[in-house]
Amino acid sequence: MYENRRKKKDHTSDMPSSILYQQGWLLKQRHGIYKSWDRRYFVLDGNELRYYKSEISMFTKAPQHTLCLDDYQLAITNKKPYTILLIANNGKKKNMPDFFLRASSHQEVNLWVDALQSYARPSTDSEESVLDKWLDRIDAIARPTSTGEFAV
């Protein structure tokens, strides 16, 4: 009998040792021109939210992306059902994108919101609303030029 002697890198040792708060499948909206939705496996561990292409890749590969939730604000949009918006804070924005995440049910989105609220920076009454900041960003991107066309 032959054994497979190749060693696979175990990325679980790279993960923080805090208690796992939430994990599961969510849809993540792509960044860029085409705003399609990709199914990703998300893991909330302390103030880090990581996502992977599959549940198995969580143990065999590095995450596709890791978000430090200290740098994000949490918002819920009613325009798209079961959708969570993580908005990068302006003060610490180091080319960090905003994230739209969609759950498959009302119960699932509530579980994620409850878990994320512990770590994503809350907005206060003295601050500009999260929605206002998001709309300002869109306005800055899509301002009409002197010829009436939109500059992108």
Side-chain angles (χ1 to χ4, degrees):
M1 307 283 159
Y2 293 100
E3 288 183 36
N4 185 354
R5 294 183 189 253
R6 259 183 14 184
K7 289 187 178 181
K8 290 185 178 178
K9 181 167 169 63
D10 181 11
H11 291 279
T12 56
S13 61
D14 297 339
M15 294 181 183
S17 60
S18 62
I19 298 171
L20 182 68
Y21 290 98
Q22 184 74 18
Q23 68 179 2
W25 291 101
L26 293 171
L27 295 175
K28 181 192 81 66
Q29 190 176 52
R30 284 185 175 196
H31 300 104
I33 296 173
Y34 301 106
K35 303 289 185 188
S36 62
W37 294 84
D38 293 327
R39 188 171 183 243
R40 296 292 182 250
Y41 195 79
F42 282 80
V43 177
L44 175 64
D45 190 1
N47 70 338
E48 286 189 354
L49 182 63
R50 297 183 300 274
Y51 64 87
Y52 304 85
K53 275 196 173 183
S54 70
E55 188 174 358
I56 294 170
S57 66
M58 178 173 66
F59 300 104
T60 60
K61 295 182 180 178
Q64 287 191 303
H65 196 85
T66 301
L67 287 80
C68 177
L69 293 175
D70 295 337
D71 299 331
Y72 285 86
Q73 286 183 303
L74 176 67
I76 299 156
T77 176
N78 294 327
K79 291 184 180 181
K80 296 182 180 181
Y82 318 130
T83 302
I84 300 165
L85 176 58
L86 290 173
I87 299 176
N89 295 327
N90 284 336
K92 292 184 176 182
K93 188 162 176 103
K94 301 171 187 167
N95 295 324
M96 297 183 308
D98 298 335
F99 285 86
F100 282 90
L101 307 175
R102 187 181 294 165
S104 60
S105 69
H106 183 70
Q107 180 181 9
E108 188 178 4
V109 77
N110 286 340
L111 288 171
W112 278 103
V113 167
D114 289 345
L116 289 167
Q117 280 179 336
S118 301
Y119 298 101
R121 195 181 117 215
S123 60
T124 63
D125 293 337
S126 63
E127 289 183 290
E128 201 178 353
S129 80
V130 171
L131 180 58
D132 289 337
K133 288 181 183 179
W134 185 68
L135 291 172
D136 287 344
R137 289 183 189 172
I138 290 177
D139 288 342
I141 293 170
R143 292 190 196 273
T145 62
S146 59
T147 62
E149 297 176 3
F150 284 92
V152 180

